[in-house]
Amino acid sequence: MSAVEQQQAEPSPSSNSSSSFEVVEADTANNYEAVVPHWFYCKVIDSRERWIPFSQQDSEKLEEAHNSRKDDEQLVVPTEGGRYDVHLKKRLRCAMYWEEEVSEVRRCTWFYKGDKDNKYIPYSESFSEELEETYMIAITLDEWKKRLESPTREIIILHNPKLMVHYHPVTTSDDWGSTPTEQGRPRTVKRGVENISADIPCGEPLQIDHLVFVVHGIGPACDIRFRSIVQCVNDFRNVSLSMLQAHFKKAQEQQQIGRVEFLPVNWHSPLHSTGVDVDLERITLPSINRLRHFINDTILDVFFYNSSTYCQTIVDTVASEMNRLYRLFLQRNPDFKGGVSIAGHSLGSLILFDLLTNQKDSSEDEDDNKEGSQMGAYGQGDIGGVKEILKKLELSEYYSVFEKERMDTQALALCTEKDLKDMGIPLGPRTKILHYVRTKDETQDAQQQAPVPVGNNNKSEDAPKPESGSSPQLGAWSSSMNGGGKCQYLDVGLGQVSANYPQLIYKPDIFFAFGSPIGMFLTVRGVKRIDPNYSLPTCKGFFNIFHPFDPVAYRIEPMIIPDLEFEPMLLPHHKGRKRMHLELKEGLTRMGMDLKNNLLGSLRIAWQSFTRSPLLAVEAAATEKEAETSLEKQPVHSDMKPEEPAAIGKEDTPPINVGMLNGGHRIDYVLQEKPIESFNEYLFALQGHLCYWESEDTVLLILKEIYQTQGITLDQPLQ
């Protein structure tokens, strides 16, 4: 029999007191309500354990499963949009798409305030039940100052419903050792999650409309706070949820949309687990130790990507990881019918760009089979292609040597003069072979078989071809790489690292690049211009998004239209207006130009009045005004030079066609800097390269373009 039942079973001193006691007991008993539990998980942040609440939606799901299937040992509940599974019986939370330490899960009802950061910490489930039972007795009988001792010898005293304290035992050291003494400083105890300052999200929409894979740049840290790609993408996802609520509210209310899922792709860890770090450690100087290790972990990733050995590791890791994540996502979301897009930051965008340019479209496979071009033979990497090349060079007698060495066209593209010499090829023949490989066979026969640029729907013989000795266009370069998804000899000629590029098992809808050095790398590789008719083989959209102070970002559009100077598209502010300091800056600029023009006009008229008679000056001024008016009325001819101001015009009227790389739409988009950033560009340069993960404007552009493919627009267009 419990204490409450014992108290109720004891006889009362008198009937009057008994009746009054029953009334008081009934009143106090009615005040007791069972505590509502909330589920938390523990995560180590900055070497400290932090208890983070599940969303209200996930907590209710876990509580329902806990109450309905308590004896199920294998019960697993997906949480946080399906990215984590909670093993209910084991009380463990496991990440499903990436590697992460498992977290302890707890059904929480009672909390006490921590001693360092004032965060509330939940008691264990067993001790919380003991506290709840004591609280129920105290509030039912109105008997307080209950004292409990936890398994760790901590003291909890319930003074009244609003005052409950927790004492940590204080230990003192003397000559005989450590002994517990008086109670330490009291800490607040709270019952129920509604009484603590915990930020509990509502939860994510269950419906997933689109999937986006995000590839990081150099190093293991992705932002100014040295957080991992998983943490940064979590922020990116949270910003997208808030932008959906703010700018797609009508579509959400009508249940037309759910949300966009963002999944991180990590390639840094597999690269540095190959043993290269041990090799670097042996040759790293001991001086300025931290700086050298920072360089080994971050900046050297660029050199790794320019190495044929590690470039292959990187592209294999990125492609296989995105394919694995896609299969796992479909397995966990069998009803998913949406599209897939990819996004890359810094070097990650270059990796994705190279990967996309080497994808093979099914329609191109048919065209290549019909044409039977020489580049198709290179792409397939077969021995028959080598035979055809030797036949063209009148070196068929050496075919047996290549056949014995199992030399296919891909291996031939990687051969050096030493390799050919070791095979026994004489100087003359090997010079012919190397010259053919490196210069794309400048004979008339090879020019007739040169491929047209990818993305040119009108595949004609008049397609532009790179001239001898000049840097070719990206269209011709990339079309040579699309054969079978393998690296071709043109890649080596342009400075791109030789690699066998894997194929993705899906076709991305849009490619988003954040702070991307793609333009710079293409220029260094020898590409001076991108063919306006060129498009990525399997991806229709391409957006190059950058901060104006990002030192790593480069533009793409000037490589498509080199003869026309125009500004990148300014991303609108997510609140629907241009930042105030930019409007003020533009207003002052226009005011200065007006003042300058008026001042020059006044000086010109004054000078004319000094050099001529007053009557002639008036007539001259009138004549000049009439001449200016007549010039303004004259139409602007289309044959004006592009660099003249009249031909440039505004960016939006008329629209600028920058080729087919983004389906005829603009590619370069620049963020608006914050007011504090405009004071010193150099001070915020690093921040400018790492700002994209929490940028509402960047996220809003991504959501706008993704949902536009589904016919869903913003509630109100931004200006």
Side-chain angles (χ1 to χ4, degrees), residues 345-514:
H345 176 240
S346 189
L347 181 62
S349 64
L350 177 66
I351 298 171
L352 291 177
F353 184 81
D354 288 342
L355 199 61
L356 288 177
T357 56
N358 286 275
Q359 295 301 294
K360 188 67 175 179
D361 195 5
S362 57
S363 60
E364 293 173 10
D365 287 334
E366 298 175 358
D367 295 338
D368 288 343
N369 292 333
K370 292 179 181 178
E371 294 175 3
S373 66
Q374 180 66 42
M375 292 305 171
Y378 262 91
Q380 297 167 5
D382 59 351
I383 299 179
V386 176
K387 186 176 182 179
E388 292 296 327
I389 294 173
L390 294 177
K391 184 178 180 181
K392 292 179 183 299
L393 299 178
E394 299 180 354
L395 299 174
S396 299
E397 64 269 21
Y398 298 104
Y399 175 67
S400 59
V401 178
F402 287 90
E403 187 179 19
K404 180 181 178 181
E405 297 291 340
R406 302 179 63 85
M407 183 73 67
D408 57 12
T409 51
Q410 183 185 1
L412 180 62
L414 303 177
C415 270
T416 63
E417 184 178 3
K418 184 177 183 301
D419 296 330
L420 296 177
K421 185 177 181 181
D422 294 340
M423 292 169 57
I425 307 298
L427 176 62
R430 68 171 180 260
T431 303
K432 283 186 178 182
I433 295 172
L434 291 174
H435 183 267
Y436 178 84
V437 169
R438 292 174 181 172
T439 62
K440 309 181 297 295
D441 192 10
E442 297 176 359
T443 62
Q444 183 65 28
D445 180 58
Q447 290 181 2
Q448 293 177 355
Q449 296 182 6
V452 297
V454 176
N456 186 359
N457 297 327
N458 302 322
K459 294 186 176 182
S460 63
E461 296 180 357
D462 296 332
K465 301 178 180 63
E467 298 179 358
S468 175
S470 64
S471 298
Q473 299 178 5
L474 179 60
W477 162 55
S478 296
S479 63
S480 69
M481 296 192 299
N482 288 331
K486 296 183 179 181
C487 180
Q488 311 310 324
Y489 73 93
L490 282 182
D491 301 353
V492 180
L494 290 172
Q496 184 174 356
V497 179
S498 172
N500 183 0
Y501 288 92
Q503 298 296 299
L504 301 176
I505 59 176
Y506 54 86
K507 293 183 179 180
D509 292 342
I510 309 175
F511 169 38
F512 299 98
F514 310 144

Side-chain angles (χ1 to χ4, degrees), residues 214 222-224 227 232-233 235-237 239-240 262 343-346 349 512-517 543-554 571 669-672 674 677 684-702:
V214 184
C222 296
D223 68 348
I224 200 70
R227 296 184 303 169
C232 291
V233 172
D235 274 354
F236 205 78
R237 188 185 305 109
V239 174
S240 73
F262 297 89
H345 176 240
S346 189
S349 64
F512 299 98
F514 310 144
S516 172
F543 291 86
N544 183 36
I545 307 168
F546 52 90
H547 190 279
F549 303 155
D550 188 343
V552 182
Y554 290 82
L571 269 177
Y669 285 81
V670 60
L671 294 168
Q672 300 181 31
K674 298 178 181 178
E677 295 174 343
F684 293 94
L686 179 60
Q687 174 65 25
H689 184 59
L690 305 175
C691 70
Y692 306 99
W693 307 114
E694 298 177 352
S695 171
E696 295 92 345
D697 301 344
T698 301
V699 173
L700 189 56
L701 174 65
I702 292 176

Side-chain angles (χ1 to χ4, degrees), residues 29-305:
N30 290 334
N31 292 332
Y32 173 76
E33 294 181 359
V35 64
V36 178
H38 195 92
W39 292 76
F40 283 66
Y41 64 92
C42 182
K43 195 169 184 179
V44 178
I45 302 176
D46 298 332
S47 302
R48 292 184 182 179
E49 289 187 352
R50 300 289 178 89
W51 285 92
I52 303 174
F54 284 96
S55 67
Q56 190 66 36
Q57 175 181 298
D58 288 340
S59 182
E60 293 175 356
K61 190 190 304 183
L62 291 169
E63 183 65 18
E64 181 182 357
H66 170 76
N67 294 330
S68 60
R69 302 167 62 184
K70 290 184 177 180
D71 299 331
D72 192 348
E73 296 287 340
Q74 304 299 326
L75 180 58
V76 176
V77 180
T79 60
E80 301 179 59
R83 296 182 297 275
Y84 291 88
D85 277 354
V86 173
H87 298 264
L88 209 59
K89 196 68 175 179
K90 299 177 182 179
R91 293 292 197 268
L92 294 178
R93 168 180 170 269
C94 305
M96 300 309 298
Y97 293 107
W98 54 81
E99 294 183 1
E100 185 178 313
E101 292 184 3
V102 296
S103 304
E104 179 187 353
V105 175
R106 188 174 294 180
R107 182 175 179 264
C108 305
T109 52
W110 285 76
F111 308 83
Y112 69 94
K113 185 175 288 188
D115 51 351
K116 291 185 178 180
D117 51 9
N118 291 330
K119 298 287 185 181
Y120 280 94
I121 303 173
Y123 289 103
S124 64
E125 294 187 33
S126 58
F127 188 65
S128 294
E129 292 177 358
E130 186 178 346
L131 281 170
E132 181 65 19
E133 183 178 357
T134 305
Y135 176 84
M136 180 186 67
I137 296 173
I139 199 171
T140 302
L141 301 179
D142 198 22
E143 294 180 359
W144 294 95
K145 295 194 176 180
K146 298 287 185 179
R147 179 188 178 97
L148 291 88
E149 184 175 348
S150 70
T152 56
R153 299 182 65 184
E154 297 168 344
I155 306 301
I156 294 91
I157 300 178
L158 309 182
H159 292 284
N160 56 59
K162 296 184 179 181
L163 181 59
M164 296 175 283
V165 293
H166 173 113
Y167 293 95
H168 275 294
V170 179
T171 58
T172 58
S173 299
D174 52 21
D175 295 339
W176 302 96
S178 300
T179 57
T181 60
E182 298 296 329
Q183 297 169 345
R185 182 172 60 87
R187 294 175 177 84
T188 306
V189 175
K190 295 292 183 180
R191 174 180 177 266
V193 71
E194 65 275 3
N195 293 319
I196 65 174
S197 56
D199 185 13
I200 301 176
C202 297
E204 303 176 13
L206 299 178
Q207 176 185 340
I208 300 177
D209 305 318
H210 203 86
L211 175 63
V212 180
F213 295 117
V214 184
V215 180
H216 66 85
I218 62 173
C222 296
D223 68 348
I224 200 70
R225 288 176 283 177
F226 298 97
R227 296 184 303 169
S228 66
I229 179 63
V230 174
Q231 295 172 308
C232 291
V233 172
N234 286 342
D235 274 354
F236 205 78
R237 188 185 305 109
N238 293 333
V239 174
S240 73
L241 293 175
S242 63
M243 290 296 101
L244 284 174
Q245 295 175 359
H247 296 277
F248 293 87
K249 191 173 183 180
K250 293 181 181 179
Q252 281 190 333
E253 292 175 350
Q254 298 174 2
Q255 296 183 349
Q256 294 180 338
I257 64 172
R259 65 182 178 90
V260 177
E261 179 62 281
F262 297 89
L263 294 180
V265 178
N266 181 16
W267 56 266
H268 181 269
S269 299
L271 170 66
H272 288 262
S273 62
T274 58
V276 64
D277 288 349
V278 178
D279 298 335
L280 286 174
E281 184 67 26
R282 288 196 295 265
I283 61 176
T284 301
L285 297 178
S287 58
I288 52 174
N289 186 48
R290 293 184 179 179
L291 178 59
R292 295 186 188 278
H293 280 82
F294 173 78
I295 293 175
N296 290 349
D297 284 341
T298 56
I299 300 177
L300 285 188
D301 285 346
V302 179
F303 297 96
F304 285 139
Y305 188 65

Side-chain angles (χ1 to χ4, degrees), residues 537-609:
T538 59
C539 185
K540 298 179 180 179
F542 177 31
F543 291 86
N544 183 36
I545 307 168
F546 52 90
H547 190 279
F549 303 155
D550 188 343
V552 182
Y554 290 82
R555 292 190 62 185
I556 299 293
E557 292 173 340
M559 299 188 68
I560 304 175
I561 312 178
D563 298 330
L564 181 62
E565 293 185 4
F566 57 98
E567 297 294 329
M569 289 289 289
L570 184 67
L571 269 177
H573 194 261
H574 65 279
K575 292 184 179 179
R577 56 172 177 80
K578 188 177 291 186
R579 291 184 183 271
M580 187 175 298
H581 73 286
L582 294 179
E583 293 181 350
L584 180 61
K585 183 178 179 181
E586 291 181 358
L588 292 175
T589 303
R590 286 195 298 268
M591 185 183 301
M593 291 298 296
D594 293 340
L595 290 175
K596 179 181 178 182
N597 293 334
N598 292 335
L599 180 60
L600 291 176
S602 301
L603 291 175
R604 184 171 59 250
I605 294 174
W607 177 255
Q608 292 174 354
S609 65

